[in-house]
Amino acid sequence: MTVAPNDMICFALYSASHAMQQTYRDLLDPLGLTYPQYLVMTVLWAAEEPPNVKDIGAAVQLDSSTLTPLLKRLEASGLIKRERDARDERQVRISLTKEGRGLQEAARAIPSCIQERTGMSAAAIERLKDQVLQLTSHLRAQTDK
């Protein structure tokens, strides 16, 4: 039996992901950020202390070969600083510059803009997010076996 793309959960998730990233692109272009850069910046804006590269990678689910060039571009843009940890020179700590902190205010409205564009209530978005995270967890558990 052949299943059409519109009948597959994988296609529904793929289509939603593509539409979501396009929506973010429209909001992030004026800030000069890509979606992955925005994710990294949200980690930095929420951090109490400068995180290391490994911690950022875990938070945004990017490996270091993808994350390092992204961090270099953010540094070249003047938004972050990369510095060796004084206690452990093997680790690189990432901190925000004044410009990077300032960008947080410009990005503050993005979550509400996303909610508005989804046409969903905050509660519905939260339920959907929880379901997608549960799905992700179950799929990863099967892959890790």
Side-chain angles (χ1 to χ4, degrees):
M1 175 170 106
T2 303
V3 180
N6 283 337
D7 295 328
M8 296 182 214
I9 187 170
C10 58
F11 185 72
L13 291 168
Y14 169 79
S15 297
S17 176
H18 184 72
M20 184 65 76
Q21 288 191 29
Q22 181 59 52
T23 301
Y24 269 100
R25 185 177 301 121
D26 294 344
L27 296 169
L28 295 172
D29 276 351
L31 302 179
L33 293 175
T34 64
Y35 179 69
Q37 289 171 336
Y38 172 70
L39 292 177
V40 168
M41 293 301 289
T42 63
V43 170
L44 295 171
W45 292 328
E48 292 180 22
E49 294 183 18
N52 63 36
V53 173
K54 183 179 178 181
D55 291 339
I56 294 170
V60 297
Q61 299 180 11
L62 292 175
D63 60 34
S64 64
S65 66
T66 302
L67 186 57
T68 299
L70 186 153
L71 292 171
K72 286 181 178 180
R73 285 190 299 278
L74 287 172
E75 186 174 41
S77 297
L79 299 174
I80 67 165
K81 289 188 310 186
R82 297 178 311 135
E83 298 176 307
R84 295 264 169 215
D85 189 316
R87 295 168 292 201
D88 183 354
E89 289 193 11
R90 296 171 295 173
Q91 292 190 34
V92 175
R93 297 264 171 205
I94 308 300
S95 59
L96 291 163
T97 63
K98 183 179 177 183
E99 293 80 11
R101 281 234 176 266
L103 195 59
Q104 183 177 9
E105 185 58 35
R108 191 171 305 282
I110 290 176
S112 61
C113 289
I114 292 294
Q115 179 184 338
E116 181 182 319
R117 291 182 185 197
T118 66
M120 299 170 70
S121 69
I125 290 172
E126 187 68 24
R127 283 191 304 275
L128 178 59
K129 180 190 66 110
D130 289 346
Q131 289 175 321
V132 172
L133 289 173
Q134 183 180 21
L135 172 63
T136 302
S137 177
H138 285 287
L139 291 172
R140 286 206 170 121
Q142 295 301 313
T143 303
D144 294 341
K145 284 185 179 181

